[in-house]
């Protein structure tokens, strides 16, 4: 196997009946059957005709600690896994899955520990470690997964306002990664609900929701030196792909997943949509280049079009990560190809496009601006170059 494919859904905010319909589109009937939003989502997934190795959900399956909503959402996630014949399901709880707010069910966190199927994994031993220490490890042939409960302290004071990873927890995880119990693989995934880095570009204000201790955690993961990391989180309902801070040339890739079902709050409702994602890791390139290399696809929902390839500027339909080449290197390659030609068409740009497929959206925009500044006329759709010519 030279590639692994992940289907990512986050922040379902599932609810039963009409009690929380103002918060979410993903509602369920009293008998557990899903409404139109859920049904059309599964139908659209099936129409893509893709095979997935993992189904990933970084939390907020429920809405405002509603236990019935959690059970309905958890059943829906398992239905997706079964209907699409996905081998492995990876989940963690979010703040809405915990007893985070006064007035909700007293036993919300207790109930999800005993839900059927088991949550967050099918292993009681792994779940015991997760609920006891707020993290757990799952090993696969090509990757290691660290699940982190960034909502572990919710229910205390004003903890519901943000995530947290204790300093001791970060050090415990590092100690484990450096121990003989841990076998290094081609890459690693940290799955959590809250973002380990502030995302102040989303709301244009100070970000007080991020994970307290997140910077320490990222540092401990890097210091452990066990290979490249992909960090997947939700919570902000705003998709983003970036590289985390690093003291080396191997920064973690941080993927922020938008919401599958929540009605979006005013600051972002005109800038993004309900979304889901596909991430494909290129195992051969990741191993040979010693950095995480892969591609993503983003899909959106709105009233006008239903489910469709993303048209959002901040996370377009297709992109990637792990590119080593600088914009200047690309400009030199294009200059060489243009020698003796007035313009380049799609077929001429094939080799360059194969590398551009691993550009992040920001890297691709930077390259297009650099080309325009250097007197190139360019035509592109999404992250795909169609034609290049000299002005």
């Amino acid at each position: 196997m030279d590639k692994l494919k992940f289907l990512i859904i986050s922040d379902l905010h599932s609810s039963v009946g009409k009690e929380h319909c103002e918060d979410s589109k993903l509602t369920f009937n009293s008998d557990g059957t899903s409404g139109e939003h859920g049904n059309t989502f599964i139908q659209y997934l099936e129409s893509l005709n893709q095979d997935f190795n993992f189904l990933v959900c970084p939390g907020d399956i429920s809405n405002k600690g509603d236990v019935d909503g959690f059970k309905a959402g958890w059943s829906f996630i398992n239905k997706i896994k079964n209907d699409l014949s996905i081998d492995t399901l990876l989940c963690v709880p979010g703040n809405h899955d915990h007893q985070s707010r006064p007035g909700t069910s007293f036993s919300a966190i207790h109930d999800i520990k005993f839900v059927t199927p088991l949550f967050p994994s099918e292993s009681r031993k792994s779940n015991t470690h997760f609920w006891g220490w707020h993290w757990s490890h799952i090993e696969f042939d090509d990757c290691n997964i660290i699940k982190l409960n960034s909502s572990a302290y919710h229910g205390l004071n004003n903890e519901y306002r943000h995530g947290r990873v204790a300093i001791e927890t970060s050090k415990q995880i590092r100690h484990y990664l450096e121990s003989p119990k841990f076998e290094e693989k081609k890459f690693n995934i940290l799955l959590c609900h809250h973002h380990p880095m502030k995302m102040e570009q989303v709301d244009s204000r100070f970000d007080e929701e991020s994970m307290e201790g997140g910077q320490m955690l990222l540092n401990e993961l890097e210091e452990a030196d066990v290979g490249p990391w992909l960090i997947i989180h939700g919570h902000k309902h705003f998709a983003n792909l970036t590289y985390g801070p690093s003291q080396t040339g191997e920064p973690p890739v941080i993927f922020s997943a938008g919401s599958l079902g929540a009605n979006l709050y005013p600051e972002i409702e005109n800038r993004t949509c309900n979304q889901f994602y596909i991430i494909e890791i290129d195992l051969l390139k990741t191993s040979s280049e010693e950095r995480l290399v892969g591609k993503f696809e983003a899909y959106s929902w709105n009233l006008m079009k239903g489910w469709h390839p993303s048209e959002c500027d901040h996370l377009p339909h297709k992109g990637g990560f792990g590119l080593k080449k600088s914009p200047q290197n690309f400009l030199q390659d294009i200059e060489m190809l243009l020698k003796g030609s007035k313009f380049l068409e799609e077929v001429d740009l094939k080799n360059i496009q194969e590398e551009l497929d691993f550009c992040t959206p920001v890297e691709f925009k930077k390259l297009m601006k650099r080309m325009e500044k250097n007197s190139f006329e360019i035509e592109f759709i999404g992250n795909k170059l169609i034609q290049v010519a000299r002005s």
Side-chain angles (χ1 to χ4, degrees):
M1 182 182 297
D2 57 1
K3 291 180 174 61
L4 284 181
K5 193 174 286 189
F6 298 79
L7 170 62
I8 301 174
I9 59 175
S10 186
D11 293 80
L12 281 64
H13 290 267
S14 308
S15 60
V16 176
K18 298 181 179 180
E19 183 179 356
H20 299 297
C21 62
E22 73 279 4
D23 296 328
S24 178
K25 301 175 184 68
L26 192 58
T27 57
F28 295 85
N29 302 314
S30 57
D31 62 0
T33 56
S34 58
E36 182 180 1
H37 193 73
N39 290 333
T40 56
F41 170 65
I42 293 182
Q43 291 167 8
Y44 188 78
L45 275 178
E46 291 173 336
S47 74
L48 295 178
N49 195 30
Q50 297 200 43
D51 294 323
F52 303 103
N53 303 102
F54 296 87
L55 171 59
V56 181
C57 179
D60 274 3
I61 296 168
S62 180
N63 189 62
K64 296 180 178 176
D66 177 47
V67 174
D68 290 335
F70 181 90
K71 291 177 179 178
W74 183 230
S75 295
F76 179 69
I77 291 172
N78 279 273
K79 175 176 170 56
I80 296 169
K81 175 184 181 294
N82 295 331
D83 286 359
L84 274 69
S85 300
I86 302 175
D87 293 336
T88 304
L89 174 57
L90 301 172
C91 286
V92 291
N95 55 301
H96 280 261
D97 304 320
H98 279 66
Q99 176 57 34
S100 295
R101 293 166 172 80
T104 56
S105 169
F106 176 76
S107 59
I109 192 65
H110 175 85
D111 285 346
I112 70 174
K113 291 178 182 178
F114 293 92
V115 73
T116 302
L118 292 176
F119 178 86
S121 80
E122 59 186 17
S123 166
R124 290 188 183 277
K125 182 178 179 181
S126 177
N127 290 348
T128 299
H129 194 284
F130 181 84
W131 295 117
W133 294 103
H134 311 317
W135 68 277
S136 62
H137 167 237
I138 305 177
E139 179 182 20
F140 296 96
D141 290 340
D142 296 302
C143 62
N144 284 295
I145 313 292
I146 297 293
K147 293 183 177 184
L148 175 70
N149 187 0
S150 62
S151 306
Y153 302 98
H154 280 216
L156 301 172
N157 301 319
N158 64 347
E159 283 289 318
Y160 70 91
R161 298 181 184 275
H162 56 77
R164 181 182 296 277
V165 54
I167 300 298
E168 294 81 3
T169 300
S170 294
K171 292 185 177 297
Q172 184 185 42
I173 292 173
R174 175 181 172 179
H175 179 73
Y176 175 77
L177 296 176
E178 294 176 332
S179 75
K181 297 178 182 179
F182 183 84
E183 181 182 349
E184 190 171 334
K185 305 291 182 179
K186 294 184 174 88
F187 72 100
N188 312 283
I189 291 178
L190 172 70
L191 179 62
C192 52
H193 181 65
H194 293 85
H195 39 301
M197 289 172 52
K198 292 183 181 297
M199 296 178 66
E200 292 171 346
Q201 77 278 17
V202 176
D203 302 318
S204 299
R205 61 173 181 257
F206 293 128
D207 184 357
E208 298 177 352
E209 300 176 34
S210 60
M211 188 191 304
E212 295 285 343
Q215 180 64 55
M216 170 67 83
L217 175 62
L218 295 179
N219 185 71
E220 296 292 352
L221 296 182
E222 181 173 64
E223 291 288 339
D225 191 22
V226 292
W229 286 88
L230 169 62
I231 298 171
I232 302 174
H233 70 81
H235 187 64
K236 287 298 287 183
H237 299 184
F238 194 88
N240 187 55
L241 187 146
T242 189
Y243 295 111
S246 174
Q247 301 176 69
T248 71
E250 302 172 21
V253 175
I254 301 181
F255 186 80
S256 171
S259 171
L260 183 73
N263 291 325
L264 303 175
Y265 56 95
E267 289 89 342
I268 65 171
E269 62 181 353
N270 295 320
R271 297 164 56 208
T272 189
C273 300
N274 294 112
Q275 293 186 320
F276 73 90
Y277 314 93
I278 298 168
I279 287 183
E280 182 181 83
I281 305 298
D282 189 315
L283 296 175
L284 298 181
K285 287 182 178 294
T286 294
S287 294
S288 64
E289 298 184 16
E290 294 187 333
R291 58 192 286 133
L292 196 70
V293 181
K295 303 175 185 178
F296 72 81
E297 296 177 13
Y299 295 87
S300 299
W301 182 92
N302 60 36
L303 276 173
M304 296 293 292
K305 294 186 176 182
W307 287 105
H308 60 279
S310 173
E311 298 171 350
C312 296
D313 185 57
H314 59 280
L315 200 71
H317 175 42
K318 290 187 177 183
F321 45 88
L323 178 73
K324 271 191 169 181
K325 226 169 191 178
S326 70
Q328 186 60 34
N329 293 146
F330 278 110
L331 289 176
Q332 291 169 353
D333 290 345
I334 291 171
E335 288 276 16
M336 289 292 293
L337 289 173
L338 272 171
K339 284 186 175 180
S341 301
K342 291 183 178 180
F343 61 88
L344 301 172
E345 293 188 320
E346 196 171 333
V347 63
D348 306 310
L349 296 163
K350 183 176 182 294
N351 291 337
I352 286 179
Q353 185 60 51
E354 287 178 355
E355 293 182 286
L356 288 178
D357 286 342
F358 299 105
C359 276
T360 67
V362 172
E363 287 173 330
F364 188 80
K365 287 179 184 177
K366 184 176 181 180
L367 176 60
M368 295 304 102
K369 288 181 180 178
R370 188 73 63 85
M371 291 177 70
E372 289 175 347
K373 286 181 180 179
N374 283 268
S375 302
F376 288 105
E377 290 184 357
I378 53 177
E379 182 183 347
F380 61 93
I381 299 175
N383 71 331
K384 191 169 187 178
L385 273 178
I386 305 299
Q387 191 175 82
V388 176
R390 270 290 184 194
S391 296

